[in-house]
Amino acid sequence: MRRFTYHEPATLDEAVSLLAAPNAQILAGGTDLLVELKEQLRRADCVVNIKKIPGIAGLAYDDKAGLRIGALATAREVEVSPLVLDKYRSLAQSVRELGSIQVRHRATIIGNVCRASPSADTIPPLIADGASLRICGAGGERTLKVEDFFLGPGRTVLKPGDVVTEIVVPPPPPGTRKIYIKHGRRKAMELATVGVAVTHVPGAETRIVLGAVAPTPLRARHAEDLLRGKRLTDELIAKAAQAAVAESRPISNVRASAEYRREMVGVLTRRALEQLR
Amino acid sequence: MTTIALTINGEARELAVEPYRSLLDVLRNEAGLTGTKKGCDVGDCGACTVLVDGKPVNSCLMLGVEADGSEVLTIEGLQPAPNRLHPLQEAFIRLGGAQCGFCTPGMIMMAAALLAENPSPSEEEIRFGIAGNICRCTGYTKIVEAIQAAGKELA
Ligand SMILES: Cc1cc2nc3c(=O)[nH]c(=O)nc-3n(C[C@@H](O)[C@@H](O)[C@H](O)COP(=O)(O)OP(=O)(O)OC[C@H]3O[C@@H](n4cnc5c(N)ncnc54)[C@H](O)[C@@H]3O)c2cc1C
Ligand code: FES
Ligand code: FES
């Protein structure tokens, strides 16, 4: 790694002002940042470790507000939480398949979201669940839907100096069913070729979010419209799967061709919906 | 340079480290403990796995300075006494869980973390647990058997 200065701010305000320096980078779990620094995909003159800031750790749940995921909450903390498994099953499924246990002990959920990789596993379930982010920056605090956070691969609305302090995921209405299906070339240590998250509230709404098939995670809105308030019949599922295929905008890369990805969007959307009825 | 104070294998150490050095490099160079291996240096192979405050991590993906104040356990610190091997080490030797041995330190540290949480894991649980540890020699079968055997002994 190239030389950088290193800071451990003790408060959020201190972090925000340190991050005003040119080429300052936030270090949370470091599982993306350190790889990118070593491979010289990114430059850091100043690294700001946010792990000493009080009040941004851990998970908390209450029936009204839902699940609060702090900036320091790791994928492993989410993976082993019985509450997450019970109420946020698709998120629990997504972290089980994120890297290795070693990686998950360091990687934060919020880092996974902020890195804005199109194939990031935690993003589709968070969007399907209607999650929002709280951002703290030089201009004060603001809240934003995770869905509206991404501008493109690796790009978000965050400005230099912004720190995401928490993600809040609303509590699931009674009867809600959720699933995340990750499709890769092999079972473990693999980025998603296609990811599909569905949150189904019977009699009301079904939200379908596709990963790795567009520059940013994508809501399959036409497919959702077809299903709104309806029972999930074979016929309707087939139509929704076709709609999702039409909405996806995949590229070809080392992991799969665009044609294959489009095909898999149909298969996985159908499979996900079949398992939720 | 920053000075960090940490416990490595039960021994209190103070080390002067550059902030841009990984914990892996700090362990191998500044601390002189070369049991922990560097395979890929980017989190893919697991050869660098150590326990930090009991948790298995890739030491290549952590800065040395981040280990300030923590307790680090490496393969050198696993044996219960100077002339006694840990049951995992015994089992890897007895059942052929190591061939070239490059993955072994990381594999055994990951297995130690796994058995601490679940002393009698199924084959599936073991394979899930060591998914981040790549072995190019054994084909994993003997590693899984060794971990299971050690688990029985530790239980
Ligand atoms: C071997 C390996 C396998 C992996 N496999 C998968 C996988 O299967 N699926 C998957 O989705 N990901 C995978 N990843 C990537 C995953 O580990 C990361 O995306 C991780 O979740 C990022 O979190 P972090 O805490 O490590 O972030 P860091 O590396 O610390 O930071 C990542 C980026 O987010 C920014 N950031 C972090 N926290 C904040 C914050 N609070 N506010 C603002 N910006 C912030 C940082 O500045 C940086 O730009 C893998 C990584 C490795 C090394
Ligand atoms: S050297 Fe750290 S995971 Fe390969
Ligand atoms: S024994 Fe050679 S890599 Fe595992």
Side-chain angles (χ1 to χ4, degrees):
Chain A
M1 272 179 283
R2 290 174 44 159
R3 183 176 290 269
F4 52 71
T5 62
Y6 173 79
H7 306 270
E8 291 181 350
T11 65
L12 210 47
D13 285 346
E14 199 187 324
V16 170
S17 59
L18 283 165
L19 288 165
N23 289 316
Q25 302 281 359
I26 294 179
L27 170 71
T31 63
D32 279 322
L33 182 68
L34 297 185
V35 172
E36 288 168 43
L37 292 181
K38 287 182 187 196
E39 295 184 340
Q40 304 197 356
L41 300 170
R42 210 191 305 201
R43 187 191 160 117
D45 293 327
C46 161
V47 167
V48 180
N49 178 1
I50 60 173
K51 289 194 288 296
K52 298 283 161 74
I53 299 173
I56 58 170
L59 303 172
Y61 179 81
D62 89 66
D63 281 329
K64 275 217 185 69
L67 177 69
R68 176 193 161 280
I69 304 172
L72 306 184
T74 62
R76 184 66 179 171
E77 280 175 75
V78 168
E79 179 185 358
V80 301
S81 157
L83 182 127
V84 173
L85 187 62
D86 179 37
K87 294 197 154 52
Y88 302 93
R89 178 163 168 262
S90 50
L91 182 63
Q93 287 173 318
S94 74
V95 291
R96 256 181 85 80
E97 299 193 54
L98 187 157
S100 60
I101 291 180
Q102 293 96 314
V103 168
R104 300 199 286 276
H105 267 299
R106 300 290 298 171
T108 62
I109 302 295
I110 290 185
N112 193 239
V113 172
C114 290
R115 170 63 184 76
S117 163
S119 62
D121 284 309
T122 66
I123 299 172
L126 288 170
I127 294 178
D129 277 353
S132 45
L133 301 138
R134 183 184 292 272
I135 303 167
C136 180
E141 274 201 312
R142 60 194 198 277
T143 301
L144 190 75
K145 287 263 187 200
V146 175
E147 191 178 344
D148 300 325
F149 184 60
F150 306 102
L151 300 176
R155 292 196 302 126
T156 69
V157 303
L158 290 182
K159 298 199 181 56
D162 282 346
V163 181
V164 176
T165 52
E166 64 183 29
I167 287 182
V168 177
V169 203
T176 302
R177 310 198 57 188
K178 306 177 182 188
I179 189 168
Y180 176 67
I181 303 180
K182 175 179 186 169
H183 187 62
R185 291 170 304 181
R186 54 185 189 142
K187 269 207 274 188
M189 294 295 280
E190 168 68 321
L191 297 182
T193 302
V194 176
V196 177
V198 182
T199 296
H200 174 57
V201 190
E205 221 189 344
T206 304
R207 284 188 298 269
I208 302 173
V209 185
L210 310 174
V213 294
T216 64
L218 184 76
R219 262 183 85 171
R221 292 195 180 265
H222 295 300
E224 292 183 6
D225 288 343
L226 290 169
L227 299 175
R228 185 160 297 113
K230 303 261 175 56
R231 237 172 40 104
L232 299 178
T233 60
D234 284 348
E235 198 190 345
L236 208 50
I237 287 177
K239 275 194 188 150
Q242 270 325 298
V245 171
E247 288 174 87
S248 66
R249 291 176 276 131
I251 55 160
S252 296
N253 67 6
V254 290
R255 281 192 285 282
S257 66
E259 292 78 6
Y260 179 74
R261 284 199 162 93
R262 213 170 280 124
E263 193 70 26
M264 285 304 112
V265 167
V267 172
L268 299 179
T269 304
R270 174 174 55 72
R271 215 175 270 170
L273 291 168
E274 281 171 356
Q275 289 188 32
L276 290 184
R277 62 180 166 189
Chain B
M1 286 279 199
T2 319
T3 302
I4 59 170
L6 71 173
T7 308
I8 306 179
N9 300 331
E11 192 188 331
R13 301 281 300 261
E14 271 195 19
L15 302 170
V17 300
E18 297 286 5
Y20 45 87
R21 237 162 138 65
S22 68
L23 175 61
L24 173 59
D25 286 345
V26 167
L27 288 171
R28 289 181 54 87
N29 298 298
E30 276 77 5
L33 295 167
T34 53
T36 306
K37 300 303 176 210
K38 185 188 283 191
C40 65
D41 210 19
V42 288
D44 286 320
C45 75
C48 65
T49 303
V50 301
L51 307 190
V52 176
D53 296 326
K55 295 178 186 135
V57 300
N58 302 114
S59 58
C60 69
L61 289 189
M62 193 172 153
L63 298 175
V65 283
E66 293 184 88
D68 186 31
S70 61
E71 224 167 274
V72 178
L73 188 68
T74 71
I75 189 71
E76 288 94 340
L78 197 64
Q79 46 195 121
N83 294 315
R84 262 182 50 216
L85 291 179
H86 185 272
L88 272 164
Q89 294 170 311
E90 294 271 13
F92 269 65
I93 294 169
R94 189 159 39 88
L95 297 169
Q99 286 183 23
C100 80
F102 198 83
C103 71
T104 313
M107 194 70 84
I108 287 184
M109 295 316 289
M110 186 61 223
L114 198 66
L115 293 179
E117 273 184 15
N118 178 2
S120 45
S122 64
E123 173 175 350
E124 204 188 327
E125 288 168 329
I126 293 173
R127 287 185 183 269
F128 180 78
I130 61 170
N133 294 79
I134 292 176
C135 174
R136 301 194 63 177
C137 303
T138 64
Y140 301 101
T141 303
K142 287 166 189 288
I143 289 176
V144 172
E145 287 168 4
I147 295 173
Q148 253 168 345
K152 285 206 185 92
E153 198 165 320
L154 285 166

